[in-house]
Amino acid sequence: MDLGRFRKKPVLGILRGIPSGSLTPLLEAIVSSGLEAIEFAMNSPNASALIRRAVRSHGKKLMIGAGTVLDLNTLKMALKAGATFIVSPVVVPEVIGYCKARKIPVFPGALVPQDIYKAWQAGATMVKVFPANCFGPGYFKELKGPFAEIKLLACAGVTPENMKDYFKNGASAIAIGGSIFRKDWIETGRFGLIRQKIRAYLKPIPK
């Protein structure tokens, strides 16, 4: 993962449960929307195969990672498939340590200050505050008081309307998922709508 590139366009797409037959048109919609970073949830069917295919076909245009990584076996499967960064909903020290030792960007999830600090101390590239909508943008302002140096990614409940508040209050990046990559839209081939919805997130990014 090119972290400099991600900092310029700090929006991460979360793909979960993507049917194999829908992968190519979905990736084309993502690329044409301008989104540059996506993760495949490893608790989805055929996640490793999807990562492998995506890297082969769109690896030069997209930064492709693996999410929901909860143990070393899953981590190694994701990396073997070609994932270039790792995301988790919780703090898994051995996953963070493995990535840190190999200079692989890793984004562990945490919500409360104690876990956010533990994740950062363990070597997190950025801490995914999840679920961010439990406390909202104001929570990020409070966190940045004692944790000014910790990079935070807002995940869950981020909308085009409130994303500016997340960035203003201290988020370094945001994640988008189920509200954009909806199962019904993918199954019915509404990839143009998905592209349109992604673009709504990319327009307000602070420069």
Side-chain angles (χ1 to χ4, degrees), residues 71 122 188 195:
D71 55 64
T188 56
R195 179 171 56 247

Side-chain angles (χ1 to χ4, degrees), residues 45-125:
N46 303 313
S48 293
L50 292 176
I51 291 173
R52 193 172 291 110
R53 279 181 56 196
V55 169
R56 189 181 306 121
S57 63
H58 291 76
K60 293 183 179 180
K61 297 179 180 178
L62 294 171
M63 294 175 280
I64 298 168
T68 320
V69 176
L70 298 171
D71 55 64
L72 284 178
N73 285 337
T74 304
L75 168 63
K76 292 175 182 178
M77 286 174 55
L79 295 176
K80 186 176 181 180
T84 61
F85 64 93
I86 299 297
V87 186
S88 175
V90 292
V91 178
V92 186
E94 57 264 35
V95 168
I96 301 172
Y98 188 97
C99 291
K100 180 183 179 182
R102 292 158 180 80
K103 298 183 179 179
I104 300 163
V106 59
F107 303 75
L111 182 61
V112 299
Q114 182 70 42
D115 290 339
I116 290 170
Y117 181 72
K118 282 183 178 179
W120 187 252
Q121 286 294 101
T125 305

